[in-house]
Amino acid sequence: MAATPGYAYASVIPARASVVHLAGACPLDADGTIVPVGDFAGQATKCIENMLVALDAAGATISDIAYTRVLVASSKNDDLGMVWAVVRDAFAGHEVPSTLFGVAALGFENQLVEIEAVAGIAE
């Protein structure tokens, strides 16, 4: 049996479900500013907040998410672990397949975190 790392190894979106592909949620404030600069956990929290807004606009909730991809602009395991802890806590008991990447850079100046997601809304 595989280890239980705090995420699922697979998920299924039911037949006749609407599939929602979310663009990467960035740590952008309402005015388009990256916040908080230099704070991995704070940026992960802001990404989750922005992801929840996008999910709501699509008629979905965090419990509808079937997959996430978490991008962190760092090669340090401590930084990746800090971001993963925020994501894991935001999902509470809803463990979904997820991939955590350390990357060289992200799209906005001072951006440290981005979270992509796919959700399935059962009809």
Side-chain angles (χ1 to χ4, degrees):
M1 174 153 204
T4 53
Y7 58 86
Y9 285 103
S11 66
V12 175
I13 295 176
R16 298 191 186 125
S18 296
V19 177
V20 180
H21 294 268
L22 298 175
C26 299
L28 296 170
D29 214 347
D31 67 359
T33 303
I34 293 290
V35 292
V37 172
D39 181 351
F40 285 94
Q43 287 195 17
T45 299
K46 187 63 178 171
C47 288
I48 294 290
E49 290 171 7
N50 290 340
M51 182 181 69
L52 293 173
V53 170
L55 283 167
D56 185 60
T61 68
I62 199 165
S63 64
D64 295 313
I65 291 180
Y67 177 76
T68 65
R69 180 178 294 120
V70 181
L71 307 168
V72 182
S74 177
S75 62
K76 296 179 182 175
N77 286 355
D78 288 346
D79 297 336
L80 276 73
M82 184 182 317
V83 169
W84 179 248
V86 171
V87 172
R88 184 191 61 231
D89 290 349
F91 278 79
H94 178 59
E95 293 182 351
V96 299
S98 190
T99 304
L100 177 65
F101 288 96
V103 298
L106 291 165
F108 294 99
E109 186 173 345
N110 297 315
Q111 182 181 2
L112 301 173
V113 180
E114 186 163 336
I115 302 172
E116 301 173 4
V118 176
I121 306 169
E123 295 179 1

